[in-house]
Amino acid sequence: MFPHLRPALMAGACCGLLAAAPAQAQQAATGRVTFSGYVRDASTGENLIGVAVVHPASGQGTATNTYGFYSLTLPAGADTTRLLTSYLGYQRQVLRVRLDKSQTLNVRLQPATSELQSVEIVGTRQEKLAETTRMGTINVPLTQLKAVPALFGERDVLKVLQLLPGVQAGGEGQSGLYVRGGSPDQNLILLDGTPVYNASHLFGFFSVFNADALNNVELIKGGFPARYGGRLSSVLDISMKEGNMEKFHGEGGIGLIASRLTLEGPIKKDTASFIVSARRTYIDLLARPLIMAATDGATVGYFFHDLNAKVNWKLNQRNRLYLSAYTGRDKFYARTKDEGERGEYNEVDSGLGWGNLTAAARWNHIVNDQLFANTHLTFSRYQFDVGVEDESRRRDSQTDELRTDKFALKYLSNIRDLSLKTDFDYVPLPDHYIRFGGQYVLHHFRPGAMQVKSSDPDANLDQFNKSTRTLGHEIGLYAEDDYKVTERLKVNAGLRLNGFATGNKFFPSVEPRLAARYLLTEDWALKASYARTTQFIHLLTNSGIGLPTDLWVPATAKIKPQKAQQVSLGAARNVRFRDEDYELSLETYYKPMDRLIEYREGANFLGTTDNNWEDKVTSGKGWAYGAEVFLQKKSGRTTGWIGYTLSWSKRKFEELNQGRIFPYKYDRRHDAKLVVIHQLKDNLRLSGTWVYGTGNAVTLSRGRYLLGSYTEYQDYGPRNSYRMRAYHRLDLDLSHTKKKKWGEVVNSVSLYNAYSRANPYYLYFSQGFEDGQGNVREKPGYRQISLFPIIPSFSKSFRF
């Protein structure tokens, strides 16, 4: 079908053949033994990610991968030696082993007895910050995510990530991520390895991720490993829990606007488990009586819901199968009915809905004690639709007979993916950690389709039944090696080969990746990284707040793939001060971007179809550069972090702003974050966050003129040349934990915007007004709209 894909597909098939090579190499090797297995939570059976497995006598070590698997190869001998396993929040475990033969060692770690032992804010798994090669990578422990103050009591993964340097929100309360000068569509968001295209609820104020169902959250801002591809700015890799294999367990919460419940337990103990998690908001139910009273009987509402489910089945010691799914949807609706005389009426029913559906089947297979394989089949769909139905009954002016007229319009847009991916982790020696694999993705794009039904047959239109979809074929092959060259120098070198085919057009891409660290001392390290990335899909958006009117479209012969490069330099230090550990990092980055797209002046999504969207957009370039400082304290009664970012983000489009360079809408010169979590007592916790940011850039008219009698002309200045006021906000949270016979209850009281700062949300022009004597009471000018004053909230969560 696509001859130009054959070489790449053949290369992908070779990845499977390579799986046999390491086994042969190991058999040929002499004088070495390998210890391998899984590390799990002793109380739940959950796989633990990033557990350090170390041989103290030689200093050699490794860490468990995303599925809890480790492999450590050591020189053979007749002696008995020790292996040490350690993971923050768990008791260390010492294993005594003999070095005379390879063996499988599955480890179960006991949770720490003290809550304070498990405190960790943000860190790079178990490897010290100064030792790891990777840059711009941050792990967010779920225990701390729930300690940060939250809007309306809803704990949110994306809101916590916004508190990190180099990451910012689009605006007040929003959950979108703008990473190092990029836009939200440039973030690869993975839920159990499946892409999520719209991660927002409530028009961007909450994310789709229920924290109770998650096991691990990792954000990569730069120095991307070769195993990730398809986006320019970041990778957010989120893993769901696998389900408690030991006993039935549940947790949930009740907040002001939503409630949630998670249930998990064994299907067959130590063999199979399940987890189901659900969340729904009840804003529409609470507000419906007030809305109906205020609108004289109209029904207006909004709600969202999420449902996560997963089954984990251990087939045998070497094979494990996972099935997981997620569905979530937002729905806004309005219904009105105006009754007239003598049977006349007019009834209007309108709505806007959007949501995600994902499903995944994953097979983990231990090929041998040094080679681990994961095969992943996934499906993902994002769709939004808007519709209106209008039915009216009127009496004919001549015959006085009742006549019914009907009109219905529906517009929808969606993107669907079907993907097959295989990844291999190969650890021949402690100084080498090799990953390689391949992926194929079949994209179905439907940028827009419209259906019109009317009592007037000439007005009918039905694009749904036509072939309005565009297919895209994306392939990727990669290999990378995390290699310890010397005791001081360690590198992660990789190469990714990508290709995208649509119609008769094929876009190849070669993406080298390199990261390195050099130890100046045991605690000081210099770091550098380089990554080239390509994005084959585009997002058409009229605003940056993640509205569901965003349309996903493919690269074409006319609108080519986006490309970017990122160079990062930095330093890291592990600090011990007064018997407490701190981590300090400094990173600078430069990221040029090409073939970015924007709507042309005056264009928008309305009426966009797969046949005409290319005529509504224009391509251009972008640049982002800056520096980030991050200081964190990870243990003790008081924990937290300080982050500061100095950055620039610019754009240049020949058909916008007269071809001149202009600031990106979310260009933010200064961005500072402070997070403090203090354990007042064992059962009482106080936490607070403070954020500050330079105001967003906006475009305002510098003059207004009246042409003729009624036509107003606005003379706009340069694009994004005006800055709104600076943004700053303080949030507080006080949580009390009460132990029960059946579990525990946590009551939390939060204050959002504690000193009620009137932060700008948007600006509008006011004509001003005069009194009856011609005196000016308010001058014409722009006025600021602020969204949230101080907002107190209460939430209750529980575990059993």
Side-chain angles (χ1 to χ4, degrees):
M1 184 176 179
F2 292 98
H4 42 265
L5 294 179
R6 290 173 185 166
L9 293 176
M10 291 177 62
C14 290
C15 286
L17 299 177
L18 289 173
Q24 297 172 356
Q26 183 185 348
Q27 293 170 1
T30 58
R32 293 188 178 275
V33 295
T34 300
F35 301 96
S36 62
Y38 289 93
V39 181
R40 300 190 177 99
D41 185 305
S43 60
T44 67
E46 193 83 27
N47 288 337
L48 297 178
I49 302 171
V51 178
V53 182
V54 180
H55 181 229
S58 65
Q60 301 283 8
T62 188
T64 56
N65 67 6
T66 308
Y67 310 103
F69 177 79
Y70 77 93
S71 175
L72 180 61
T73 299
L74 299 172
D79 300 334
T80 299
T81 189
R82 296 183 305 154
L83 296 181
L84 175 67
T85 59
S86 64
Y87 191 59
L88 201 57
Y90 288 80
Q91 298 177 22
R92 290 189 176 188
Q93 186 169 337
V94 178
L95 307 173
R96 294 197 172 273
V97 296
R98 293 185 61 85
L99 295 173
D100 55 350
K101 64 178 180 179
S102 297
Q103 55 184 295
T104 299
L105 290 175
N106 293 321
V107 183
R108 297 240 174 175
L109 294 184
Q110 294 287 346
T113 55
S114 168
E115 288 188 10
L116 292 180
Q117 287 180 264
S118 65
V119 171
E120 178 183 14
I121 301 300
V122 179
T124 53
R125 298 189 179 174
Q126 287 300 289
E127 200 170 19
K128 286 185 177 181
L129 181 65
E131 295 175 353
T132 179
T133 55
R134 297 173 65 180
M135 298 184 68
T137 300
I138 298 176
N139 225 246
V140 182
L142 274 300
T143 54
Q144 292 309 305
L145 183 150
K146 298 180 180 181
V148 175
L151 177 62
F152 297 118
E154 286 296 303
R155 312 295 179 180
D156 197 308
V157 174
L158 301 189
K159 291 284 200 315
V160 175
L161 296 178
Q162 291 171 358
L163 297 173
L164 302 173
V167 183
Q168 58 177 279
E172 176 76 83
Q174 294 167 20
S175 60
L177 297 181
Y178 295 79
V179 181
R180 291 186 172 178
S183 53
D185 64 302
Q186 295 175 354
N187 304 317
L188 177 61
I189 301 177
L190 300 173
L191 179 62
D192 266 358
T194 308
V196 176
Y197 281 97
N198 188 308
S200 297
H201 283 311
L202 192 58
F203 300 96
F205 290 108
F206 298 105
S207 78
V208 300
F209 304 112
N210 184 352
D212 292 343
L214 305 183
N215 176 41
N216 189 69
V217 178
E218 183 178 73
L219 176 68
I220 306 173
K221 301 180 293 182
F224 306 107
R227 60 186 177 273
Y228 296 110
R231 297 296 189 276
L232 301 189
S233 290
S234 76
V235 177
L236 177 56
D237 198 349
I238 299 177
S239 302
M240 284 178 57
K241 290 179 179 177
E242 298 175 353
N244 195 316
M245 276 203 169
E246 302 298 323
K247 59 184 179 180
F248 183 76
H249 166 70
E251 61 183 301
I254 301 172
L256 289 180
I257 65 169
S259 292
R260 63 190 189 276
L261 178 65
T262 300
L263 301 174
E264 58 179 318
I267 299 174
K268 182 179 180 181
K269 193 172 182 180
D270 291 328
T271 301
S273 64
F274 77 94
I275 180 170
V276 177
S277 182
R279 178 176 61 161
R280 191 196 193 275
T281 183
Y282 29 73
I283 300 175
D284 55 333
L285 303 178
L286 296 177
R288 183 174 296 170
L290 299 176
I291 293 174
M292 294 184 69
T295 58
D296 193 23
T299 301
V300 180
Y302 164 84
F303 68 89
F304 70 77
H305 67 78
D306 295 302
L307 178 65
N308 296 80
K310 190 172 186 177
V311 175
N312 164 27
W313 183 18
K314 184 169 66 175
L315 303 176
N316 52 47
Q317 284 296 106
R318 290 187 174 268
N319 295 280
R320 185 177 288 239
L321 182 66
Y322 301 89
L323 300 175
S324 62
Y326 164 80
T327 181
R329 184 164 175 82
D330 291 63
K331 182 69 175 179
F332 174 81
Y333 56 88
R335 304 184 187 99
T336 60
K337 185 172 183 179
D338 296 326
E339 300 280 358
E341 298 179 354
R342 302 169 60 199
E344 295 182 330
Y345 67 85
N346 178 247
E347 185 174 1
V348 180
D349 188 350
S350 58
L352 172 68
W354 68 97
N356 297 279
L357 173 66
T358 71
R362 188 172 74 226
W363 171 40
N364 287 175
H365 174 58
I366 301 176
V367 181
N368 58 53
D369 52 13
Q370 294 179 334
L371 182 65
F372 179 91
N374 176 62
T375 300
H376 206 170
L377 177 64
T378 66
F379 171 81
S380 177
R381 188 200 70 185
Y382 168 70
Q383 177 170 305
F384 100 84
D385 51 79
V386 57
V388 59
E389 295 182 4
D390 188 325
E391 180 176 310
S392 62
R393 180 171 291 182
R394 297 286 183 266
R395 289 190 176 274
D396 189 280
S397 59
Q398 295 180 352
T399 64
D400 199 40
E401 294 181 354
L402 285 173
R403 176 182 174 180
T404 302
D405 292 318
K406 295 182 178 181
F407 174 83
L409 180 147
K410 188 175 182 180
Y411 180 90
L412 68 81
S413 173
N414 63 31
I415 178 173
R416 294 187 303 164
D417 287 352
L418 184 64
S419 171
L420 178 63
K421 183 180 181 182
T422 299
D423 301 292
F424 296 94
D425 287 22
Y426 175 44
V427 193
L429 296 169
D431 290 343
H432 286 272
Y433 197 125
I434 300 171
R435 294 179 173 94
F436 60 96
Q439 180 179 22
Y440 168 74
V441 184
L442 175 62
H443 297 284
H444 289 79
F445 299 91
R446 179 183 268 180
M450 189 177 295
Q451 184 182 72
V452 178
K453 295 182 179 180
S454 174
S455 302
D456 180 4
D458 295 334
N460 288 339
L461 171 69
D462 192 356
Q463 293 180 328
F464 289 174
N465 296 329
K466 297 180 181 179
S467 179
T468 58
R469 286 192 173 93
T470 301
L471 296 182
H473 303 264
E474 184 175 350
I475 56 173
L477 300 172
Y478 75 90
E480 64 176 89
D481 185 9
D482 204 50
Y483 174 39
K484 190 174 182 180
V485 183
T486 68
E487 287 299 320
R488 293 186 177 274
L489 179 61
K490 190 176 182 181
V491 300
N492 184 299
L495 180 67
R496 185 175 185 88
L497 304 177
N498 285 332
F500 183 80
T502 181
N504 294 319
K505 188 67 177 177
F506 180 69
F507 299 99
S509 176
V510 179
E511 302 176 6
R513 313 286 177 84
L514 179 65
R517 69 99 170 113
Y518 183 80
L519 288 174
L520 298 174
T521 67
E522 183 179 348
D523 295 320
W524 265 110
L526 298 178
K527 297 188 177 186
S529 69
Y530 171 80
R532 181 182 295 169
T533 52
T534 305
Q535 183 166 328
F536 298 108
I537 59 177
H538 302 282
L539 180 67
L540 303 182
T541 178
N542 284 98
S543 68
I545 62 176
L547 288 175
T549 52
D550 297 343
L551 311 180
W552 290 93
V553 294
T556 66
K558 187 174 181 180
I559 306 297
K560 295 182 175 161
Q562 303 176 60
K563 289 185 174 291
Q565 301 179 71
Q566 186 172 163
V567 178
S568 301
L569 298 173
R573 178 179 169 84
N574 303 309
V575 181
R576 187 159 184 84
F577 179 71
R578 294 184 177 179
D579 295 328
E580 298 202 328
D581 293 322
Y582 298 80
E583 289 185 347
L584 173 66
S585 65
L586 169 66
E587 290 192 20
T588 61
Y589 65 91
Y590 175 69
K591 181 169 67 173
M593 297 167 281
D594 196 12
R595 301 173 181 172
L596 307 180
I597 68 169
E598 291 273 3
Y599 276 117
R600 297 177 186 270
E601 297 287 2
N604 57 50
F605 84 97
L606 292 174
T608 299
T609 70
D610 62 335
N611 297 319
N612 70 358
W613 69 266
E614 294 174 274
D615 300 326
K616 293 190 171 188
V617 301
T618 180
S619 296
K621 299 180 179 181
W623 300 266
Y625 50 94
E628 302 165 1
V629 180
F630 193 34
L631 175 66
Q632 55 181 328
K633 183 175 182 290
K634 299 167 58 176
S635 60
R637 189 168 291 275
T638 302
T639 58
W641 69 84
I642 300 173
Y644 170 73
T645 305
L646 174 67
S647 63
W648 290 260
S649 183
K650 302 176 182 179
R651 299 288 190 268
K652 186 178 187 298
F653 291 77
E654 293 299 330
E655 299 182 49
L656 299 178
N657 200 46
Q658 299 178 345
R660 294 176 296 185
I661 295 175
F662 59 89
Y664 182 45
K665 183 176 181 180
Y666 298 103
D667 171 57
R668 183 169 292 174
R669 195 71 62 247
H670 304 283
D671 191 66
K673 286 90 177 262
L674 171 66
V675 177
V676 178
I677 301 173
H678 180 65
Q679 202 75 30
L680 298 169
K681 298 180 180 179
D682 288 343
N683 64 343
L684 191 62
R685 182 188 67 230
L686 176 66
S687 63
T689 62
W690 184 79
V691 296
Y692 172 88
T694 302
N696 286 341
V698 295
T699 306
L700 302 178
S701 64
R702 54 189 176 185
R704 292 168 179 262
Y705 309 96
L706 193 63
L707 302 179
S709 301
Y710 303 102
T711 304
E712 184 181 71
Y713 169 76
Q714 299 188 42
D715 178 19
Y716 284 97
R719 194 178 182 95
N720 295 339
S721 59
Y722 181 82
R723 291 279 179 178
M724 292 196 289
R725 295 171 60 200
Y727 182 98
H728 53 86
R729 189 189 77 242
L730 173 68
D731 302 335
L732 298 172
D733 179 272
L734 182 64
S735 296
H736 178 265
T737 302
K738 188 173 184 179
K739 301 291 184 181
K740 301 283 188 177
K741 291 182 179 180
W742 48 266
E744 67 179 30
V745 175
V746 180
N747 295 312
S748 299
V749 178
S750 298
L751 285 179
Y752 182 87
N753 197 5
Y755 53 79
S756 201
R757 160 75 172 178
N759 286 304
Y761 188 64
Y762 70 88
L763 302 176
Y764 73 97
F765 184 79
S766 172
Q767 298 286 354
F769 66 90
E770 300 177 352
D771 59 17
Q773 288 73 38
N775 299 316
V776 176
R777 294 300 183 184
E778 183 178 280
K779 294 182 179 180
Y782 283 94
R783 305 287 185 264
Q784 171 185 301
I785 292 295
S786 298
L787 198 60
F788 295 133
I790 181 173
I791 299 179
S793 61
F794 173 80
S795 63
K796 181 185 289 287
S797 59
F798 54 86
R799 292 171 56 88
F800 60 87

